[in-house]
Amino acid sequence: MALISEGKFIPDIWHHAAPEAAIADHTILPLERIAEATGAFGVLLPNDAEIAAIKPFLGTVSVIAINFPAFTDGRGFSLARLVRRAGFTGELRAFGNVLPDQYAAILACGFDTVEISPERAARQPEANWTAALGGRDHAYQRGYHTKVSILNRRRAAK
Amino acid sequence: MNIAVTPPVDKPGSNQRPAMYYYDHFDRDFVQERVAEFRNQVERRLSGALSEDEFRPHRLMNGLYLQLHAYMLRVAVPYGTVSSDQMRQLALIADKWDKGYGHFTTRQNIQFNWPQLKDVPDILQALADVEMHAIQTSGNCIRNVTADHFAGAAADELEDPRPTAELIRQWSTNHPEYTYLPRKFKLALTGSTADRAAVMLHDIGLRIVKNPEGDIGYTVIVGGGLGRTPMVGKLVKDFLPRADLLAYLAAILSVYNRYGRRDNKYKARIKILVHETGLEAFKAEVEAEYAAMDRSGTNADPAELARIAAYFASPVFETVDAGDLEVHKAAHPDFARFVDTNVAPHKANGYAIVTASIKPYGGVPGDVTSAQMRLLAAVADQYSCREMRISHEQNVIFPHVKQSDLFALWQMLKTDDLATANAGLITDIIACPGMDYCALATARSIPIAQEISKLFANEERQKLIGKLGIKISGCINACGHHHIAAIGILGLEKSGKESYQITLGGDPTFSASIGERLGPGLDAEEVPHVIDSLVNIYLQQRQGDELFIDTYRRVGQAPFKPALEREVEDGSDI
Ligand code: SF4
């Protein structure tokens, strides 16, 4: 898997739990195996997870990865916002099928990093993500992590 | 062509410029960014770097569809408002990159049916030059917002809905959270006591209302829609304070984005979510999200809505009388008929709202040549404060016309077949593109519209029949809105042959209802005659000047059945 942060491919100290295998430190677990967590741990959420399901370990989990089963499935964007609203301050990852063209929206909704498969990373190399970080400056919404909120700018100009 | 430079506040209402929204540099930079981005994507597609699958979402977000014969580009006309300069630019696009015509749609947009992929970036640039774009006219995102086509002019209006519509347009553009929804999402607005925007039949319908304290706010309707499973929208909020609009919309979208079905695209619209969840449970979800969210961090400042509203300040209306209007009417019966049908009351004394008909007898509903576009622009320059509206009935509206100019305006429209006196009458037919253009079609719809239009061309008979809507769709996706027509026609395919189903009793207004199927399908040739029989039955049954829908609601479907039975019994003599 490839991890992208601030438009760059970076090394990943985390790994995903293998089926059946014992859990080590720095493992991202599926939600249903959260009881096995040991040491620093992360969790991989399906994009239809409810916030109530992560409340019990919100204070102790280090990484929350939200799965994107298809790039056209936008549930992960809303879930990310809700996870942040619930008070999570650790690393929030968009995991799976996302495109560089969605990078600005991913960051705007509160994600820090993107984790994609090696196949996708080969087709959409670092340069695409770096370029995507540079594009699309302007957004009309407030309350998202966008570079420039046009509404806030207009207010400031008054 | 450059209309983009005049700031809005120099002379509000001075009639120096059309009373509509103008881009500031943020809007301009935003659209320019998108043109550049799409140019790059097209280059990568043409070079093969992007596969068609990878290119598809990008082109859809920019309004470019792949149709039966070619690409189709759908250009957004926000809430149907278009200036004469913009209309001339659309004419230029039609001449330079298409086959010299365009097509007004039922969502107040315009489509070009024959652009070449390599030219599309240049077309988008030409649009950006006059502050237009094709963003989010397709895809599973919030689509172009529609509004009452008489906005800012109607005598029955509480408030012009377009400032709110523009605020929503901006907020919904490239939204980071709500651009990959389960399905497309359509909003419509009205600020009048009469509903000309079909607010009961959109994913969200908004009605501008005043509460007992005299404050302006919105009544919010959710879950209306046509398509395969037509449903009338449900009331979710009686009175939403104006300042909370964007937060409340966000709460609805959040619930839809998380819980809307994604397993079946035919069950993915919000109407199905509302239906399956149950209205009360759905409302509770929305209210819970609304209570939990940072509302003030989401809403626009009231100052932002006021900034937008300033652009729409009413033109300065002169004190005028109707001049020789009655004299001209008496001398020209065809002009008198035009005034009767195509002219509506204006909020200012001595003014009128005029509908130019894009439904000539036997023509293609909504098709307009570049020459006609230029004529429409010239008429708007001369008689209507340089501004027009596209109506969802696929006609063009001149919102601010002096009654004393009506005769001259009519003569001008007549020179290119734009003065057909049929607005709202039986030949003012809405038809989707159907088999002539659309890859999804199961039957033709345009030729059916043309035949019916010819059959009822007699204007005295049309006047006798009165207001009566016919709408035709070429497949169950219902883009022709047949469900909400007094008489709806749905083209299907049955054993390799086109088969047309008739529905009766649809109503697009606040008293919305979905038409009911009359009986088995008909062959194409039978359709006009069955419509004729239905109309005759209506004329026999109606009391006074009762509308078709009222007669139908009073007598029910039974008296109309014989229109079909006759065809089955002695179909040979049709
Ligand atoms: S109703 Fe069907 S045929 Fe007509 S435009 Fe829509 S998809 Fe195409």
Side-chain angles (χ1 to χ4, degrees), chain A residues 14 23-27 29 34-42 60-63:
Chain A
W14 294 86
I23 301 301
D25 202 22
H26 285 105
T27 301
L29 302 112
I34 203 76
E36 298 170 44
T38 171
F41 72 100
T60 49
V61 68
S62 302
V63 175

Side-chain angles (χ1 to χ4, degrees), chain B residues 504-505 513 516 536-560:
Chain B
L504 299 181
S513 58
E516 296 162 323
N536 286 331
I537 294 168
Y538 159 58
L539 294 178
Q540 288 154 18
Q541 294 282 344
R542 85 168 161 198
Q543 294 177 350
D545 53 6
E546 205 175 42
L547 291 173
F548 183 93
I549 182 70
D550 297 321
T551 304
Y552 182 79
R553 282 177 179 153
R554 182 171 52 76
V555 304
Q557 200 176 73
F560 291 96

Side-chain angles (χ1 to χ4, degrees), chain B residues 432-434 438 440-441 473-475 477-480:
Chain B
C432 81
C438 179
L440 303 176
S473 302
C475 81
N477 289 327
C479 306

